[in-house]
Amino acid sequence: ARWLDTERACAQQAPKRLYYLSAEFLAGRTLRNAVQCLRLEEGYAAAVAQMGFDLEELYDEERDPALGSGGLGRLASCFLDALATLDYPAVGYGVRYAYGQFEQLIRAGQQTERADCWLRDGAEGAGNAAANPW
């Protein structure tokens, strides 16, 4: 809802807008970052503790989507984060990969790799994609 409100406000004010296209965005894990940026860590830790869990262990449960090797993907994510922090009207576009780089496994003493299916467990439509609001 807030995104749609922002889009409507921008349409009325007609500011210059920035559109950023990157083949990869390497946001990494987002839960800790979001909780810390909102300065809610103490409250979240207490709430999670009331449910019998530890916030640090909860942070460790979040999968890290291996969608890039750092470098330009990390730069793209930081750039968009800075634009949002500074309230610039900007949108990032990228490729939505079904698989990350790879997952390393050791089988019978040998290293093997397999595709890292970061959208597993039915997460394909749950929070990883936004429906077109128009």
Side-chain angles (χ1 to χ4, degrees), residues 14-128:
K16 290 183 179 180
R17 299 181 74 148
L18 185 135
Y19 298 92
Y20 190 82
L21 175 63
S22 179
E24 63 181 58
F25 288 93
L26 187 60
R29 298 178 181 182
T30 58
L31 179 61
R32 180 189 303 266
N33 186 48
V35 171
Q36 288 177 342
C37 286
L38 294 169
R39 296 185 174 104
L40 296 173
E41 197 159 28
E42 189 176 308
Y44 268 66
V48 168
Q50 283 181 343
M51 293 184 270
F53 298 100
D54 178 70
L55 186 57
E56 286 297 321
E57 290 177 10
L58 183 62
Y59 288 150
D60 289 340
E61 288 297 315
E62 182 178 9
R63 284 185 47 77
D64 187 359
L67 300 177
S69 58
L72 295 178
R74 187 70 207 127
L75 177 64
S77 291
C78 289
F79 185 61
L80 287 178
D81 189 46
L83 290 169
T85 300
L86 296 170
D87 290 327
Y88 281 97
V91 176
Y93 293 96
V95 178
R96 184 168 182 254
Y97 297 99
Y99 296 95
Q101 292 181 323
F102 69 90
E103 194 170 9
Q104 177 180 317
L105 304 166
I106 306 294
R107 289 190 178 141
Q110 298 293 314
Q111 175 183 323
T112 61
E113 299 88 24
R114 71 174 177 199
D116 179 19
C117 183
W118 74 284
L119 296 174
R120 72 175 125 198
D121 300 327
E124 186 164 343
N128 293 317

